[in-house]
């Protein structure tokens, strides 16, 4: 019974991945999670695909719900993903409701924060953050996080904005690595 339930969950996750649309000029590599590592605090995952599948460092990794992270180490048969919730990651985003741009930073332990937002910025709990595409690392429009809490401080000109990643950082088994193919122009 447990095995059947596990297979049904995995099947639903794979179906959701298959429904993701590939953008023009982009290809995807399907990868499965090999292991999460010995230390969850490191905020890294290891995938079963590597340079043999055309992967290289810096590529974005997504699941059916949103941005998982970025490839930081690539080996011939495997690769390592640093999660968006890692303190080493910064992701240029925009607020879907208002269009306001900002930087989402990992704060560890599966959480994120939106940094350097002026105190007069219109932000609400429940607002979704999407990749802005301004850095040319992440394609624009990939869901990243939802705003969990917005706090104003008397002593700071910036808001404190806590966010929760949308991707299944601790539950996804299948992911897609996005590879932008170079645009060839005819002369």
């Amino acid at each position: 019974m447990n095995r059947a339930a596990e297979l049904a969950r995995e099947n639903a996750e794979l179906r959701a991945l298959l429904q993701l649309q590939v953008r023009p000029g982009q290809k995807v590599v399907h990868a499965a999670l090999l292991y999460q590592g010995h230390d969850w605090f490191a905020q890294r995952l290891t995938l079963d695909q590597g340079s043999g599948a055309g992967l290289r460092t810096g590529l974005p990794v997504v699941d059916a719900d949103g941005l998982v992270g970025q490839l930081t180490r690539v080996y011939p048969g495997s690769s390592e993903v640093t999660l968006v919730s890692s303190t080493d990651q910064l992701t240029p985003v925009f607020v879907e409701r208002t269009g306001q741009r900002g930087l989402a930073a990992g704060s560890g332990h599966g959480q994120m924060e939106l940094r350097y937002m002026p105190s007069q910025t219109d932000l609400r709990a429940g607002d979704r953050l999407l990749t802005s595409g301004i850095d040319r690392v992440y394609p624009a429009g990939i869901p990243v996080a939802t705003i969990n809490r917005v706090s104003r401080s008397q002593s700071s000109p910036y808001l404190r904005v806590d966010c929760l990643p949308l991707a299944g950082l601790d539950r996804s088994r299948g992911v897609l690595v996005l590879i932008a193919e170079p645009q060839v122009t005819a002369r």
Side-chain angles (χ1 to χ4, degrees):
M1 191 96 143
N2 288 338
R3 181 71 177 140
E6 179 63 25
L7 286 173
R9 190 187 75 71
E10 185 177 0
N11 190 23
E13 187 176 328
L14 290 172
R15 285 180 189 271
L17 276 176
L18 288 173
Q19 289 178 359
L20 290 178
Q21 254 186 348
V22 179
R23 294 180 169 104
Q26 184 178 70
K27 71 176 193 173
V28 297
V29 173
H30 297 269
L33 176 68
L34 281 179
Y35 57 88
Q36 199 160 348
H38 302 295
D39 181 13
W40 171 244
F41 298 108
Q43 300 287 297
R44 288 188 171 81
L45 302 174
T46 301
L47 304 178
D48 68 347
Q49 299 289 341
S51 59
L55 302 184
R56 60 185 185 278
T57 59
L59 294 175
V61 178
V62 299
D63 70 2
D65 298 320
L67 185 66
V68 173
Q70 186 176 22
L71 292 181
T72 49
R73 291 185 184 160
V74 178
Y75 306 103
S78 65
S79 54
E80 188 174 89
V81 179
T82 300
L83 300 177
V84 291
S85 59
S86 169
T87 56
D88 298 334
Q89 286 292 104
L90 287 174
T91 308
V93 295
F94 72 94
V95 179
E96 185 177 38
R97 182 177 57 84
T98 64
Q100 176 71 39
R101 289 190 187 147
L103 274 178
S107 57
H109 310 293
Q111 297 185 3
M112 300 176 75
E113 62 184 1
L114 190 57
R115 292 190 179 165
Y116 312 116
M117 299 304 289
S119 60
Q120 71 274 11
T121 306
D122 178 22
L123 295 175
R124 299 179 192 152
D127 281 348
R128 277 187 359 148
L129 304 177
L130 307 177
T131 54
S132 67
I134 202 165
D135 62 349
R136 295 191 178 194
V137 172
Y138 303 112
I142 298 172
V144 178
T146 56
I147 294 177
N148 188 34
R149 184 178 53 195
V150 179
S151 309
R152 286 174 169 64
S153 170
Q154 298 293 338
S155 62
S156 173
Y158 301 112
L159 296 172
R160 164 108 177 134
V161 184
D162 297 322
C163 307
L164 294 173
L166 288 169
L169 304 182
D170 59 349
R171 65 185 179 276
S172 290
R173 294 201 178 159
V175 296
L176 297 176
V177 181
L178 306 179
I179 303 173
E181 296 174 336
Q183 300 295 321
V184 178
T185 56
R187 293 183 181 227

